[in-house]
């Protein structure tokens, strides 16, 4: 890469961040509890891979638009997106969030309680491919909205479970489906990145081919770089 191209990319990323900051202040209105959730996750050593503030508010609006009473989140991390989702469910509604790492779940629980939404959220700790069957066995669904933002290798598996746990009219959102264009790679190698690419491509193929779903995907730019999310309506 030339120095000139590198500078162009750096300038572009700086512009994306500046626009995102402007939109966050102008439209989103991130409050102190949400800022604190991000900061506490950082202090506790969690990876800084939570959704952006505009993306978080989109999740809240999707919950409101669908009239969601039950939301399923796969991948809690520090609870930042969970706060947005919990604020979007109807009165008396609930968010069930699945988190593999116990430490992440502990941080999330503190953040959720501090944000005043703790009573709306239950966190299932453990591998999601174990907790999701347990939810099905408990007849915990149907969920009105499912947000998938966990290990990408299992994205197709998560979509398949989402289909089992939803109803016609439910919405499924899959995050990080572009990853700076990496989705175009064939993922034929054995690295973690290759497995993540295969998992995401398999999930997109399922979203596009399953007759029970009507789906699209949107590319995004911002503080998280070049990425995107898929959105699917259960028919």
């Amino acid at each position: 890469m030339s120095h000139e191209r590198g500078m162009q990319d750096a300038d572009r990323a700086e512009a994306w961040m500046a626009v995102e900051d402007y939109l966050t202040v102008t439209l989103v209105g991130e409050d102190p509890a949400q800022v604190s959730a991000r900061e506490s996750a950082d202090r506790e050593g969690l990876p800084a891979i939570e959704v952006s503030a505009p993306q978080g508010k989109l999740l809240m609006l999707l919950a409101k638009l669908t009239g969601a009473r039950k939301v399923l989140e796969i991948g809690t991390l520090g609870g930042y997106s969970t706060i947005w989702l919990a604020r979007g469910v109807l009165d008396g509604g609930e968010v069930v969030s699945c988190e593999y790492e116990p430490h992440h779940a502990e941080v999330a629980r503190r953040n959720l309680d501090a944000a005043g939404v703790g009573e709306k959220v239950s966190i299932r700790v453990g591998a999601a491919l174990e907790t999701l069957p347990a939810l099905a066995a408990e007849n915990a669904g149907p969920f009105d909205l499912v947000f998938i933002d966990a290990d990408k290798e299992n994205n197709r598996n998560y979509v398949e479970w989402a289909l089992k746990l939803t109803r016609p009219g439910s919405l499924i959102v899959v995050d990080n489906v572009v990853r700076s264009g990496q989705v175009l790679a064939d993922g034929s190698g054995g690295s973690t990145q290759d497995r993540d690419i295969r998992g995401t491509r398999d999930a997109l193929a399922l979203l596009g081919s399953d007759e029970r779903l009507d789906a699209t995907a949107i590319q995004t730019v911002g503080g998280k770089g070049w990425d995107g999310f898929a959105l699917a309506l259960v028919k």
Side-chain angles (χ1 to χ4, degrees):
M1 177 185 295
S2 69
H3 176 71
E4 181 180 355
R5 173 65 182 277
M7 288 299 293
Q8 290 174 345
D9 288 346
D11 291 345
R12 187 179 298 114
E14 185 176 347
W16 290 347
M17 179 62 79
V19 171
E20 185 166 292
D21 289 344
Y22 167 74
L23 295 175
T24 297
V25 171
T26 306
L27 296 175
V28 177
E30 190 182 38
D31 67 23
Q34 292 162 326
V35 174
S36 177
R38 288 192 290 101
E39 293 176 345
S40 69
D42 184 62
R43 287 194 304 271
E44 292 288 341
L46 276 62
I49 55 174
E50 72 279 346
V51 301
S52 68
Q55 292 165 346
K57 189 160 188 181
L58 174 62
L59 291 173
M60 185 189 80
L61 292 176
L62 289 174
K64 289 179 177 289
L65 285 167
T66 56
R69 292 187 178 275
K70 287 189 174 184
V71 172
L72 174 62
E73 178 182 49
I74 304 174
T76 318
L77 196 61
Y80 182 76
S81 56
T82 324
I83 292 171
W84 283 109
L85 289 166
R87 289 179 174 176
V89 297
L90 294 175
D91 290 343
E94 67 169 337
V95 178
V96 178
S97 190
C98 302
E99 174 53 49
Y100 178 72
E101 294 286 350
H103 178 56
H104 294 181
E106 292 172 5
V107 174
R109 173 50 61 193
R110 291 197 296 270
N111 288 334
L112 292 164
D113 291 343
V117 296
E119 74 283 354
K120 293 184 176 182
V121 181
S122 64
I123 301 176
R124 301 295 183 101
V125 180
L129 293 182
E130 296 176 1
T131 55
L132 292 170
L135 288 171
E138 297 166 16
N139 293 316
F143 291 94
D144 308 302
L145 173 64
V146 179
F147 177 50
I148 300 172
D149 188 16
D151 61 299
K152 311 311 172 187
E153 180 179 356
N154 280 305
N155 269 345
R156 182 185 178 100
N157 294 326
Y158 297 146
V159 172
E160 289 175 343
W161 274 106
L163 278 167
K164 296 174 183 178
L165 290 163
T166 50
R167 56 167 179 78
S170 294
L171 201 60
I172 300 171
V173 183
V174 185
D175 203 10
N176 307 128
V177 299
V178 175
R179 303 301 287 269
S180 298
Q182 293 175 13
V183 70
L184 295 179
D186 61 13
S188 59
S191 69
T192 298
Q193 177 175 301
D194 288 321
R195 293 194 296 273
D196 288 347
I197 292 170
R198 288 197 300 273
T200 297
R201 287 175 64 96
D202 288 348
L204 290 172
L206 176 60
L207 292 175
S209 63
D210 195 300
E211 294 183 353
R212 295 169 292 178
L213 294 169
D214 200 2
T216 189
I218 302 296
Q219 297 187 76
T220 61
V221 296
K224 303 296 181 180
W226 173 26
D227 211 330
F229 62 91
L231 191 70
L233 178 69
V234 181
K235 295 191 290 186

